[in-house]
Amino acid sequence: MIKRIGILTSGGDAPGMNACIRAVVRTALYNNIELLGYLRGYDGIIDNQYVVMQRESVSNIIHRGGTVLKTARSPRFMTPAGMQQAVNNLQQSGVEGLVIIGGDGSFRGAVELSKHIDIKILGCAGTIDNDLVGTDYTIGYDTAINTVTDAIDKLRDTAESHDRVFVVEVMGRDAGLIALRTAIASGAEALLVPEMHNDMALLGERVRQWRKTKSSRIVVVAEGDEAGGAYKVADYIKSIVPDFDMRVTVLGHIQRGGSPTCMERVNASVVGYHAVKGLMEGRRNELVGIINREVVYTPFLKTVKHKETLDAGMEEMIRVLGS
Ligand code: F6P
């Protein structure tokens, strides 16, 4: 029977991480498992910085964005010396299992760690980008798309009042899922994402059409799109119609903050609970995800980043609704 485990959050923070931490802590303590909360991701293991988590450690955090354990991307963990220090510290503290909340880089780190020490590791997908195989929704994504939709709604108000064109850049690293969903939800007139081949000539044609009626227009651009970001897209539009009144908004890190949505809190709680249950069953090196409302464990090695390919119907729908 597993007696002591650790937990950490790694990579970019995401709303809902706290709900997941809470679920892990409460499930572990309920089952008489001691829990060490490592601070600042893998750096916490290397530096032996942890908090012994109590029931109260996670009181009143389910509704808070960010992560109470803090987070970091740890270049040190990728060095032989950092890895060895982490292994030594884990061995000394008698930790038999770990729950890692993070993105694909965090899970690659977990796979590496498990080559050096016999430890059970399970992961919960925490990233606003929703770009992992093994779960329909990563922790943070639902809140982020609601934040972005709310922001674009606000931009629409001012755009409409001035008959302006707004080019809005959203996060997602090399994935365009935040852009895709929020463009549909906010009724954007155009969308540029890495998953779709962007025919700039076609966009130019659409832009010329926009001259016929005075109105607001919203163009959503994924930060990872080949067009090179909102400012470049705005320059392109301006080169076609120089007299457009245009503004660019890069939403930035506001997308990573805020109180998690109801769905976020529920999903994060479910995967956190099942991460501890999985460790108790002896599972290791897997991501705990939710696919079609079922809890599914997927080997870390298969949770590589994915680019959702859009089916032709979806592409067509986006074009029609934005026309
Ligand atoms: O992976 C989450 C994410 O917010 C991406 O969407 C974005 O590209 C990146 O992290 C930003 O990272 P940082 O917080 O290091 O600037």
Side-chain angles (χ1 to χ4, degrees), residues 43 60 72 92 97 120 173 189 195 203 205-206 318:
D43 281 351
N60 295 321
Q92 270 167 27
K120 299 180 184 71
R173 207 177 286 274
E189 278 71 24
E195 292 83 351
L203 176 65
E205 202 39 57
R206 304 251 327 265
I318 291 168

Side-chain angles (χ1 to χ4, degrees), residues 73 127-129 171-173 223 253 256:
R73 300 187 175 101
T127 165
I128 63 166
D129 301 338
M171 278 187 170
R173 207 177 286 274
E223 65 176 352
H253 286 78
R256 289 243 294 264

Side-chain angles (χ1 to χ4, degrees), residues 60-75:
N60 295 321
I61 66 166
I62 195 167
H63 58 294
R64 283 169 51 195
T67 158
V68 291
L69 291 176
K70 300 185 180 279
T71 186
R73 300 187 175 101
S74 175

